[in-house]
Amino acid sequence: MTRVFDTLPAWRAERLAQRRDGLSLGFVPTMGALHEGHLSLVRRSRAENDRTLVCIFVNPTQFDDPGDLAGYPRTTEDDLGMLRAEGTESVLLPRDVELYPDGYRYRVTETERSRVLEGGSRPGHFDGVLTVVMKLLQIASAERAYFGEKDWQQLMLVRGMAEAFFIPTTIVGCPTVREADGLALSSRNRRLPPSDREKAPQFYRTLLSAPTAGAACRDLRAAGFAVDYVEDRAGRRFGAVRLGDVRLIDNVPLGGRG
Ligand code: PAF
């Protein structure tokens, strides 16, 4: 049975009872609009822990563009149906005021690696991500937390934060899940009109095949993508592009598939 917790005290009481019974917990934070990528995290958590908690919370502080926040898909009833079908034990649906009683006066900032790539294109984005993840890790009180490698920079920053603040939760990275044509699964994909959906897999193919980041940029622009960045860093190639008003990000290992 899947239990839905819409207040933090109700979840805390449940976690206390789990701990009394010696049950381990895996935690999957999400912003909803769930797809197979999220479900792969839930399955991994269920395989490695006695219980799994999924959080659905569209975190306002990580959006630098109010239009993007307003347009972010919200599909809670469908999400709950998918989580029930997976046998997820617990779902947390917190409200803004409960997670941000301080009005976001307190926040977590990383001062170096959060300033490039996504952080360079979306000022303040990682302050919002790290702050909400810090809050959620404290609230979940899990042994392990699961994050997708599609958001590689996020995964590295969350892992670094957990180490820096001695958070006793292991941060587990999970492989990117792709459509058969290579497009990385993302909640934003559902907003692509058919012609852009057809074009979108070229993003992944170009990241993989272009000889340099500069060549990838040129090829993507020629194919009709608006390019935010393509950069090679620490053995990976990172890219962010727009098709219409839909922003896509991806990353691949240099010289391999990912
Ligand atoms: O990757 C996401 O969906 C979000 O950035 C996260 C980790 C749930 C924080 O809001």
Side-chain angles (χ1 to χ4, degrees), residues 5-8 30 54-58 91-99 132 136 139:
F5 298 87
D6 52 16
T7 69
L8 301 186
T30 80
V54 175
C55 176
I56 300 175
F57 178 68
V58 182
V91 180
L92 181 64
L93 299 177
R95 286 166 303 123
D96 290 22
V97 284
E98 224 185 354
L99 276 189
V132 82
L136 293 173
I139 292 161

Side-chain angles (χ1 to χ4, degrees), residues 27-32 38 41 55-63 72 100 125-126 128-130 132-133 136 146-148 150-151 154 158 187:
F27 176 49
V28 182
T30 80
M31 298 207 296
H38 297 110
L41 307 183
C55 176
I56 300 175
F57 178 68
V58 182
N59 174 36
T61 64
Q62 70 188 74
F63 287 82
Y72 201 84
Y100 288 102
H125 169 66
F126 283 119
V129 170
L130 292 177
V132 82
V133 171
L136 293 173
Y146 296 82
F147 293 82
K150 175 177 160 283
D151 296 301
Q154 167 175 283
V158 167
S187 305

Side-chain angles (χ1 to χ4, degrees), residues 64-172:
D64 54 317
D65 169 3
D68 193 21
L69 173 61
Y72 201 84
R74 287 162 173 86
T75 57
T76 308
E77 280 315 308
D78 290 353
D79 294 345
L80 289 175
M82 291 163 93
L83 293 172
R84 285 192 186 103
E86 290 297 323
T88 313
E89 289 83 10
S90 308
V91 180
L92 181 64
L93 299 177
R95 286 166 303 123
D96 290 22
V97 284
E98 224 185 354
L99 276 189
Y100 288 102
D102 59 323
Y104 196 41
R105 281 184 299 116
Y106 291 87
R107 56 187 76 178
V108 180
T109 299
E110 194 281 347
T111 57
E112 210 180 290
R113 295 174 190 173
S114 68
R115 301 290 158 92
V116 297
L117 302 172
E118 279 303 278
S121 286
R122 303 175 66 189
H125 169 66
F126 283 119
D127 287 6
V129 170
L130 292 177
T131 302
V132 82
V133 171
M134 172 68 105
K135 289 170 186 267
L136 293 173
L137 289 175
Q138 305 290 347
I139 292 161
S141 182
E143 273 72 20
R144 283 167 279 277
Y146 296 82
F147 293 82
E149 290 180 351
K150 175 177 160 283
D151 296 301
W152 185 275
Q153 190 181 11
Q154 167 175 283
L155 168 63
M156 293 302 131
L157 287 166
V158 167
R159 194 171 270 154
M161 175 183 78
E163 280 170 23
F165 290 99
F166 308 100
I167 296 173
T169 303
T170 303
I171 305 302
V172 183

